[in-house]
Amino acid sequence: GEMENRFESMLLEVAQALPRVTTLMDGVETMHERGPMGGTSYWLNMLGCSTSPVAMDTAAFSLLPVEPDQVLTWREARARELPGAFLQDLAFPLESPHAFDGSGFQVPGQLSRVTFPLVRLMRGSFKRIWRRLR
């Protein structure tokens, strides 16, 4: 997570490698102001469903006061020109993102870093193996 675009790139590669399934998003009560942990509740009152996780993210991000370059996974999906990464290519059978008011959502000025140090990964792996052996 601490090197260039590796984390968001990996997330998109995993999403592309998995079989198509239904992606659900609970956006009833979201978190804003700080993140990705320790934010304040923000009631968006939105539920989403899509067969594409990229399209689901695009729809959700488009109803918030953010630009694609501010969201690392969205920026990476658009750079790769993945299907669903552009709002104008999406169809909404029930409600469009414009039906929800995300104008009060405050994007964190700076996100807390998400890193995966080798020692932490090794400790977690050891704990999982130990639990299976017991």
Side-chain angles (χ1 to χ4, degrees), residues 2-134:
E2 66 275 351
M3 297 180 68
E4 299 174 13
N5 68 337
R6 285 189 182 177
F7 187 68
E8 56 270 25
S9 181
M10 182 228 23
L11 287 176
L12 291 170
E13 287 171 12
V14 168
Q16 287 180 291
L18 295 173
R20 282 184 81 109
V21 296
T22 301
T23 301
L24 301 174
M25 178 179 281
D26 174 0
V28 175
E29 181 180 4
T30 63
M31 185 175 60
H32 73 140
E33 295 175 344
R34 292 192 348 239
M37 299 181 294
T40 305
S41 291
Y42 181 82
W43 290 90
L44 194 53
N45 297 312
M46 184 270 298
L47 293 174
C49 179
S50 176
T51 57
S52 165
V54 173
M56 184 74 259
D57 278 356
T58 297
F61 297 144
S62 68
L63 64 93
L64 302 175
V66 296
E67 296 298 320
D69 284 344
Q70 291 177 277
V71 183
L72 300 178
T73 52
W74 197 11
R75 179 178 66 199
E76 183 70 16
R78 290 170 65 98
R80 292 174 179 224
E81 297 183 0
L82 295 180
F86 297 90
L87 186 62
Q88 65 270 18
D89 297 336
L90 304 183
F92 299 96
L94 296 177
E95 294 284 356
S96 78
H98 305 296
F100 301 90
D101 182 15
S103 62
F105 186 91
Q106 294 178 20
V107 178
Q110 182 174 357
L111 293 176
S112 304
R113 294 190 59 79
V114 177
T115 60
F116 301 95
L118 182 58
V119 172
R120 180 175 162 199
L121 291 173
M122 290 174 57
R123 187 180 318 129
S125 297
F126 178 75
K127 285 180 181 179
R128 282 190 300 280
I129 292 168
W130 181 255
R131 285 185 198 129
R132 287 183 184 165
L133 294 175
R134 295 186 338 165

